């Protein structure tokens, strides 16, 4: 060990030891039973009627198995990387993992990825008040297009009445292999992935169909959502799409009531359609017909704000499943409207929060300006910087613990400087991160701008860590005074979200011209390194992601010291289990866990697997 590194570890131990109140180092040998097991493989796999291609699967399917947790509990989920030639992580989308700093599943930020033939035990703590609809997905490259599945956190006290809940899981399917797509997105010149070939609903779809005509060439069967007459269902919509901004509706059922957005309950909001971008989730109440005119009704889903319209279907099936499986209709039963900018921006929380910060409490406003640079390699920038596999070379949290000196192979990164950030509109240009201190109240404005060649795009922006209060969106630039007045007129607080849409208000504009904003307000309470990124996978690979560092050095690194974290600091370190050895991991919540509960999960009593490639019914 280099003497400078050893000196840092010694200082870390002395400086922070008194602060550590958790962080017990434990060996997960054969006596340890995880609460759930996910095994990730890659295989030639056919989705709907398209030819088989190399696809990353979870427990042999896409989407993967449904996980159900309960708020107020801590779980251990073991993720095996059974792929032969690819790294892996698993991110728990929408859950704030402030308790377990290495468990967020971000390979450039919170952990080294899981190497092939290794596994990693994720500690998932679900605080009270986080019941809702979530999902999990890999955060490596383009794997999340298929390596993904639903995650539901059950309530201890459900505020709405319904008879049953159903999951509607939306994905994209592309004809190119993932590796070909990734290579093209970082090539010079850019080789685009192509548009969505099919929108999948619970793993099935009806193929691409443009607005002018139906498509009867695909003989694939459709997903069925089975219902009974005169009952109320909670439909949990999960936007796990890579590219598609989806708009959907049900044939013959135009009364939908939104009750949850991104894991937060809302006051009931009636709508006949639903718009859902990548990363967003909604729960909607649907009351079925007491006397249905027929047994099968279509759900129609279409893409928006893309060069072509992809259209797919699922079936709302009353009573017994039909003798013949449902097929893609020859003509679309519905004419869906165009995109509604600002859709559901005025949702009201079910209960007002005492933590909601007023504009008077805002300590500073940060404008995160997104821009596409197309001279040379096409990249997406945030405040003139991108975040890709080449930067940083070490996961940032790992680099902070190591505090490595500058070398050719591992340059290391210092702790972000708030002073540098204040001089550069919030971003520290050395680390390319946005630092903030505990207790700050940030007003974050995400500003859309015209690309070098004038183009504009939409972006579903997702924040890891604590959820933000979503202040809405608009054209041009943000006016805080007008926005405050708008919320005052509505008479309620903004909703809590973790993913919201940055719209475009034209297809093109001048290079760098500001056109379209999304504003958030966040009270900084959770120490950690948190990614903020567009949830379009193509844009992420092209650099449209950045990192927020909350807390000072002592607060962030003082939660657990050396030598407990040693296994997390090396690629393939001893925190990563293998057939030849059990992992040594830190229990950030202590060593009290329910092995009885773990045993039940291991026997499949609480992990429900979708059959037939993910269909529900």
């Amino acid at each position: 060990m280099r003497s400078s590194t050893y000196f840092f570890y010694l200082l870390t131990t002395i400086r922070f030891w008194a602060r550590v109140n958790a962080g017990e180092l434990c060996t997960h040998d054969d006596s340890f039973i995880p609460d759930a097991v996910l095994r990730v493989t890659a295989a030639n796999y056919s989705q709907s009627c398209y030819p088989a291609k190399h696809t990353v699967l979870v427990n042999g399917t896409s989407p993967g198995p449904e996980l159900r947790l309960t708020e107020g509990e801590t779980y251990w989920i073991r993720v095996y990387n059974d792929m032969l030639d690819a790294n892996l992580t698993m991110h728990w989308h929408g859950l704030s993992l402030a308790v377990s700093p290495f468990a967020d599943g971000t390979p450039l930020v919170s952990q080294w990825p899981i190497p092939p033939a290794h596994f990693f035990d994720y500690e998932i703590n679900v605080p009270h008040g986080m019941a809702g609809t979530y999902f999990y997905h890999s955060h490596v490259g383009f794997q999340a297009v298929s390596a993904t599945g639903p995650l539901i956190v059950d309530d201890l006290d459900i505020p709405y009445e319904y008879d049953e809940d159903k999951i509607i899981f939306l994905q994209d399917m592309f004809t190119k292999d993932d590796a070909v797509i990734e290579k093209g997105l970082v090539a010079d010149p850019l080789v685009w992935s192509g548009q969505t070939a099919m929108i999948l609903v619970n793993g099935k779809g009806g193929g691409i169909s443009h607005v002018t005509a139906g498509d009867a060439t695909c003989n694939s069967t459709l997903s069925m959502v089975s219902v009974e007459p005169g009952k109320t269902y909670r439909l949990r919509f999960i936007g796990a799409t890579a590219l598609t901004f989806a708009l959907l509706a049900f044939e013959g059922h135009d009364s939908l009531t939104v009750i949850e957005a991104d894991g937060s309950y809302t006051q009931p909001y009636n709508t006949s359609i639903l718009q859902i971008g990548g990363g967003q989730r909604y729960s909607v109440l649907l009351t079925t017909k007491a006397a249905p005119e027929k047994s099968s009704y279509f759900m129609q889903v279409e893409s928006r704000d893309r060069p072509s319209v992809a259209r797919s279907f699922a079936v709302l099936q009353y009573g017994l499943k039909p003798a013949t499986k449902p097929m893609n209709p020859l003509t679309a039963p519905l004419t869906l409207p165009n995109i509604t900018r600002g859709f559901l921006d005025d949702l009201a929380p079910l209960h007002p929060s005492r933590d909601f910060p007023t504009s008077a409490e805002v300590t500073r406003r940060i404008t995160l300006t997104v821009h596409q640079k197309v001279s040379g390699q096409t990249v997406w920038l945030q405040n003139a910087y991108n975040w890709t596999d080449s930067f940083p070379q070490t996961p940032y949290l790992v680099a902070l613990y190591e505090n490595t000196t500058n070398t050719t192979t591992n340059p290391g990164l210092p702790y972000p400087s708030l002073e540098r950030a204040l001089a550069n509109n919030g971003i520290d240009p050395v680390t390319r991160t946005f630092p903030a201190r505990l207790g700050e109240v940030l007003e974050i404005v995400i500003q859309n701008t015209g690309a070098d060649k004038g183009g504009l795009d939409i972006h579903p922006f997702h924040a890891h860590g604590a959820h933000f209060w979503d202040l809405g969106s608009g054209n041009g630039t943000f006016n805080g005074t007008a926005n405050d007045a708008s919320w005052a007129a509505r008479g309620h607080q903004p909703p809590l979200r973790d993913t919201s849409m940055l719209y475009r208000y034209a297809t093109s504009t001048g290079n760098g011209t500001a056109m379209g904003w999304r504003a958030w307000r966040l009270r900084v309470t959770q120490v950690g390194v948190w990614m903020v990124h567009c949830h379009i996978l193509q844009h992420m690979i092209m650099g449209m992601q950045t990192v927020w560092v909350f807390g000072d050095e002592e607060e962030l690194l003082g939660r657990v010291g050396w030598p407990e974290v040693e296994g997390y600091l090396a690629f393939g370190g001893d925190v990563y289990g293998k057939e030849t050895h059990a992992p040594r991991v830190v229990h950030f919540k202590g060593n009290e866990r329910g092995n009885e509960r773990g045993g039940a999960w291991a026997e499949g009593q609480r992990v429900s697997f979708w059959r037939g490639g993910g269909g529900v019914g």
Side-chain angles (χ1 to χ4, degrees):
M1 182 185 295
R2 294 189 300 273
S3 59
S4 61
T5 304
Y6 175 79
F7 181 66
F8 168 74
Y9 288 140
L10 183 62
L11 283 179
T12 300
T13 302
I14 296 171
R15 184 178 181 187
F16 299 144
W17 190 257
R19 295 177 55 86
V20 176
N21 55 17
E24 184 178 354
L25 193 61
C26 303
T27 299
H28 284 188
D29 56 20
D30 290 343
S31 65
F32 178 84
I33 304 175
D35 295 299
V37 173
L38 301 177
R39 303 202 75 121
V40 178
T41 57
N44 284 330
Y45 187 78
S46 177
Q47 293 174 292
S48 207
C49 61
Y50 280 83
K53 69 185 184 84
H54 186 267
T55 305
V56 181
L57 306 172
V58 183
N59 291 14
T61 66
S62 180
E66 172 191 338
L67 300 179
R68 292 196 87 101
L69 315 180
T70 301
E71 61 178 339
E73 299 284 343
T74 298
Y75 298 86
W76 286 91
I77 300 178
R78 176 164 291 181
V79 177
Y80 284 89
N81 182 2
D82 291 333
M83 295 183 289
L84 301 177
D85 56 358
N87 294 327
L88 171 75
T89 65
M90 198 62 74
H91 170 58
W92 318 97
H93 183 105
L95 292 181
S96 174
L97 299 181
V99 171
S100 309
F102 296 99
D104 192 46
T106 45
L108 300 178
V109 180
S110 64
Q111 71 167 117
W112 285 108
I114 308 168
H118 288 71
F119 64 86
F120 186 81
D121 289 340
Y122 286 93
E123 184 180 22
I124 310 296
N125 174 258
V126 187
H128 289 284
M130 289 295 292
T133 306
Y134 303 91
F135 68 113
Y136 60 86
H137 62 80
S138 172
H139 228 291
V140 173
F142 207 64
Q143 292 176 4
V145 71
S146 57
T148 182
L151 189 159
I152 307 302
V153 177
D154 287 325
D155 305 74
L156 295 178
D157 183 19
I158 302 174
Y160 285 97
E161 292 185 2
Y162 50 87
D163 295 294
E164 190 178 348
D165 68 11
K166 302 277 186 177
I167 292 172
I168 298 180
F169 198 86
L170 304 179
Q171 293 171 272
D172 284 333
M173 201 283 291
F174 298 85
T175 56
K176 294 181 181 179
D177 281 349
D178 297 353
V180 173
I181 290 175
E182 286 187 49
K183 183 178 180 180
L185 293 173
V186 297
D188 184 8
L190 169 71
V191 180
W192 182 239
S193 62
Q195 302 304 315
T196 300
M198 182 191 302
I199 304 170
L200 301 173
V201 181
N202 296 339
K204 300 179 181 180
I208 192 166
S209 177
H210 296 283
V211 291
T212 55
D215 182 3
T217 61
C218 174
N219 292 321
S220 171
T221 59
L222 305 179
S223 289
M224 286 191 296
V225 180
S226 297
V227 296
E228 297 294 333
K231 291 188 175 182
T232 298
Y233 291 86
R234 178 179 183 170
L235 304 180
R236 298 179 183 264
F237 290 90
I238 299 176
T241 52
L243 179 63
T244 294
F245 181 28
L247 191 145
L248 60 90
F250 287 91
E251 177 191 14
H253 300 70
D254 59 0
S255 180
L256 307 175
T257 303
V258 177
I259 61 167
E260 178 218 347
D262 295 353
S264 294
Y265 281 111
T266 68
Q267 293 182 22
Y269 186 98
N270 295 324
T271 180
S272 60
I273 62 168
L274 194 65
Q275 287 181 185
I276 182 166
Q280 293 185 315
R281 293 93 57 215
Y282 294 106
S283 283
V284 172
L285 297 183
L286 180 147
T287 299
T288 56
K289 296 173 178 286
E293 297 87 357
K294 55 183 181 177
S295 59
S296 299
Y297 296 84
F298 285 107
M299 186 191 85
Q300 184 171 319
V301 55
E302 297 178 353
S303 63
R304 288 293 182 267
D305 265 7
R306 302 305 312 167
S308 59
V309 174
R311 179 187 293 140
S312 286
F313 302 92
V315 172
L316 193 69
Q317 179 66 39
Y318 280 79
L320 297 176
K321 294 181 179 180
T324 58
K325 296 181 178 180
M327 309 296 289
N328 187 38
L330 296 177
T331 59
L334 298 174
T335 300
L336 299 183
N338 202 350
I339 184 176
T340 301
R341 292 171 180 84
F343 181 73
L344 297 187
D345 278 0
D346 57 349
L347 279 177
L350 182 60
H351 302 295
S353 171
R354 290 178 294 179
D355 293 329
F356 171 65
T358 65
S359 59
E361 296 178 79
V362 173
T363 55
R364 58 189 169 113
R365 179 183 296 167
I366 298 172
T367 299
L368 194 158
T369 302
V370 298
H371 182 76
Q372 188 188 64
K373 182 178 78 68
V374 294
S375 56
Q377 182 182 351
T378 302
V379 296
W380 285 99
L381 308 174
Q382 293 76 222
N383 292 19
Y385 297 96
N386 61 347
W387 189 280
T388 65
D389 284 340
S390 61
F391 185 95
Q393 295 181 5
T394 300
Y396 190 53
L397 180 61
V398 171
L400 293 181
Y401 269 104
E402 286 185 326
N403 197 24
T404 51
T405 57
N406 289 328
T407 67
T408 302
T409 57
N410 189 3
L413 286 172
Y415 205 86
S417 164
L418 186 58
E419 290 71 24
R420 287 194 300 263
L422 292 174
N424 289 277
N425 195 27
I427 192 171
D428 172 9
V430 174
T431 63
R432 303 188 192 181
T433 63
F434 289 80
R437 297 295 177 255
L438 292 183
E440 283 197 79
V441 174
L442 304 180
E443 197 162 76
I444 302 162
V445 179
I446 306 174
Q447 181 66 58
N448 211 352
T449 64
D452 282 1
K453 294 185 178 179
L456 283 164
D457 210 337
I458 59 170
H459 308 285
F461 257 86
H462 171 55
H464 294 213
H467 294 190
F468 50 80
W469 281 274
D470 193 348
L471 301 182
S473 61
N475 196 1
T477 57
F478 178 68
N479 183 319
T481 302
N483 191 261
D484 284 344
S486 174
W487 281 107
R490 281 176 263 192
H492 61 79
Q493 295 175 356
L496 271 172
R497 302 295 301 266
D498 62 58
T499 310
S500 55
M501 294 297 304
L502 178 64
Y503 297 99
R504 66 177 184 178
Y505 289 82
T507 56
S508 63
T509 188
N511 178 15
T513 300
M515 184 172 287
W517 55 266
R518 167 68 62 180
W520 301 342
R521 194 170 291 165
L522 178 67
R523 189 184 297 277
V524 180
T525 59
Q526 296 188 359
V527 174
V529 290
W530 308 113
M531 292 199 78
V532 176
H533 61 87
C534 175
H535 217 274
I536 291 177
L537 300 187
Q538 289 89 332
H539 293 178
M540 287 181 61
I541 292 171
M542 296 164 67
M544 201 171 191
Q545 47 192 346
T546 190
V547 172
W548 301 73
V549 182
F550 291 160
D552 62 27
E553 188 170 1
E554 193 168 325
E555 290 161 339
L556 179 63
L557 303 181
R559 290 173 292 178
V560 61
W562 176 267
E564 282 82 0
V565 298
E566 182 180 11
Y568 294 90
L569 303 184
F571 178 68
D574 67 3
V575 73
Y576 296 89
K578 199 177 181 181
E579 185 177 344
T580 56
H581 67 267
R584 284 170 52 83
V585 307
V586 175
H587 284 222
F588 287 91
K589 286 288 287 183
N591 197 24
E592 293 183 6
R593 65 180 313 278
N595 266 323
E596 279 187 18
R597 186 188 69 220
W601 279 58
E603 294 165 9
Q605 295 176 22
R606 294 194 59 190
V607 181
S608 60
F609 293 84
W610 284 342
R611 299 177 181 175
V616 294

